[in-house]
Amino acid sequence: MGSVDTDAQLQSVMDIASGFWRARALFSAVELDLFTHLAERSAGREELQASLGLHPSAAADFLDALVALGLLQREDGRYANTPAAERFLDKGKDSYVGGFFTFMSHSLYPAWGRLTGLLRSGGRQEGLDDFGDWYKDLDQVRGFMHAMDSVSAPVTEELVRRFDWSTCRTFADLGGARGNLAGHLVKAHPHLRGTTFDVPAVKPLFEEHVAKLGVVDKVSFQGGDFRSDPLPEADVLIFGHVLHDWDTETRALLARRAHDALRPGGALLIYEELLDDDRRGPARSLLMSLNMRLVRSGGSEYTAAESRVWLAEAGFAEVTVEELTATERLIVARRK
């Protein structure tokens, strides 16, 4: 029995150690547009080698590894997408998330190779704290935002139905990117009028996206820096995956500014991958916290207990926390 336990323990450790193999195989498949190619029809190995420029010596192992990982299926020597790959990894689908994986491959994957450097120095290891240069390539930003909208679809669906919007008339999504959440909120609740607040460089992508959603007359854009520029006055303000970009002092500042911009009786909604108050999990959120530290100076995930401190200091009278999705939690802070 002891030998079996030892083998299982070793396998568990080895699975963690080789986790990057799986990620890199997926990233390369996305970079090669493999899943988009197979969305049209199944293909044999030699056809894929020719179409995607794969060397014969590695192609079989690569394709069969993707089969073993559940991303491809193989029948009679022909490869096809699994349902998950068909839904999320075909560029032709609105649910495509490959743009986020490309970002992970180019930025986050190298950063994690320098995790020891973060642990030694405490300093950011990848990227820039100023997003200005990144927004110069709107095609790159568009692909990333499309992927993030797809990844965040479960959050959007839950916020649309979970929160009681019936007593609200106006809201603003602070750091709301191209307006996807705002657009879906006003489509589901026609009495609402929304504002997306983000850096001015995002405005062309916002205009493009809200036109596609058919909500041009219900959602407006306000450009600025939410640390210093006036925030929209509204019944509800939203911070989604925003506060984890900043240090505790900036979170406290943003909480105060949001409190002051809310109308009496209004609510601040915050959704993040919160850490458990005892910091024993979730593992994904703790690893995400390290990820934020690798790419943002002062960035990290935080606990609900920590958020209650700076929300109370900002003047919020009531704070509740609830599960939103399998990975996200929702903080609702009420102004008197």
Side-chain angles (χ1 to χ4, degrees):
M1 189 67 178
S3 177
V4 173
D5 289 344
T6 300
D7 288 346
Q9 291 169 1
L10 176 59
Q11 188 58 53
S12 175
V13 173
M14 292 299 293
D15 284 346
I16 294 172
S18 61
F20 72 97
W21 298 353
R22 297 169 175 80
R24 188 61 258 178
L26 170 59
F27 294 162
S28 290
V30 169
E31 289 172 13
L32 291 164
D33 283 335
L34 169 62
F35 304 108
T36 302
H37 182 86
L38 288 174
E40 300 175 5
R41 61 184 178 86
S42 64
R45 176 166 56 85
E46 291 185 358
E47 179 185 337
L48 290 172
Q49 288 171 186
S51 299
L52 304 180
L54 307 179
H55 195 280
S57 67
D61 285 350
F62 175 61
L63 295 170
D64 289 339
L66 293 173
V67 172
L69 290 172
L71 295 169
L72 295 182
Q73 48 194 351
R74 187 188 68 219
E75 296 290 340
D76 300 324
R78 295 184 68 80
Y79 294 90
N81 290 331
T82 59
E86 190 72 19
R87 181 176 183 182
F88 297 114
L89 300 174
D90 169 18
K91 279 185 176 178
K93 301 282 195 311
D94 286 341
S95 52
Y96 178 69
V97 298
F100 182 58
F101 295 154
T102 299
F103 167 71
M104 293 178 76
S105 173
H106 292 169
S107 297
L108 304 186
Y109 192 84
W112 276 85
R114 296 190 288 278
L115 176 60
T116 304
L118 166 69
L119 300 176
R120 297 285 191 194
S121 70
R124 172 178 52 80
Q125 300 293 302
E126 179 75 18
L128 299 170
D129 290 323
D130 183 353
F131 292 124
D133 287 341
W134 189 67
Y135 284 112
K136 291 179 180 178
D137 185 348
L138 286 184
D139 286 337
Q140 169 185 274
V141 178
R142 180 184 294 106
F144 176 79
M145 288 185 175
H146 178 87
M148 290 306 297
D149 289 344
S150 296
V151 171
S152 299
V155 172
T156 299
E157 292 173 7
E158 289 300 315
L159 282 178
V160 163
R161 72 175 187 83
R162 184 84 67 87
F163 186 74
D164 181 8
W165 296 99
S166 64
T167 60
C168 310
R169 290 294 177 268
T170 60
F171 71 90
D173 189 4
L174 307 177
R178 61 178 188 166
N180 190 65
L181 173 59
H184 281 87
L185 282 173
V186 298
K187 287 184 75 171
H189 304 282
H191 70 283
L192 290 175
R193 292 297 180 269
T195 301
T196 293
F197 187 101
D198 214 309
V199 296
V202 173
K203 187 175 183 179
L205 298 182
F206 166 85
E207 293 174 340
E208 173 184 286
H209 193 59
V210 296
K212 180 181 177 182
L213 292 176
V215 295
V216 172
D217 59 332
K218 294 185 176 182
V219 183
S220 61
F221 183 86
Q222 182 174 329
D225 183 333
F226 46 42
R227 296 169 297 176
S228 55
D229 292 322
L231 299 181
E233 182 180 302
D235 298 318
V236 176
L237 295 177
I238 304 168
F239 279 126
H241 296 157
V242 167
L243 299 183
H244 71 175
D245 281 338
W246 306 96
D247 57 26
T248 301
E249 291 74 19
T250 304
R251 291 170 193 159
L253 168 66
L254 293 176
R256 291 194 300 271
R257 303 196 83 233
H259 177 273
D260 294 343
L262 279 170
R263 293 178 179 140
L268 172 64
L269 309 185
I270 302 169
Y271 60 88
E272 299 270 24
E273 294 191 29
L274 295 181
L275 306 178
D276 293 342
D277 285 348
D278 64 4
R279 295 184 56 86
R280 294 183 180 274
R284 172 189 163 92
S285 299
L286 287 162
L287 292 170
M288 177 63 83
S289 193
L290 282 172
N291 183 78
M292 297 308 301
R293 294 180 188 278
L294 282 164
V295 300
R296 290 284 292 169
S297 298
S300 71
E301 302 300 330
Y302 50 89
T303 68
E306 289 169 333
S307 75
R308 290 178 187 276
V309 173
W310 32 266
L311 288 169
E313 291 174 348
F316 287 98
E318 176 189 348
V319 178
T320 61
V321 182
E322 60 184 276
E323 300 293 328
L324 189 62
T325 69
T327 58
E328 309 282 342
R329 300 184 206 183
L330 174 66
I331 301 170
V332 179
R334 299 274 181 182
R335 178 177 175 172
K336 292 181 181 177

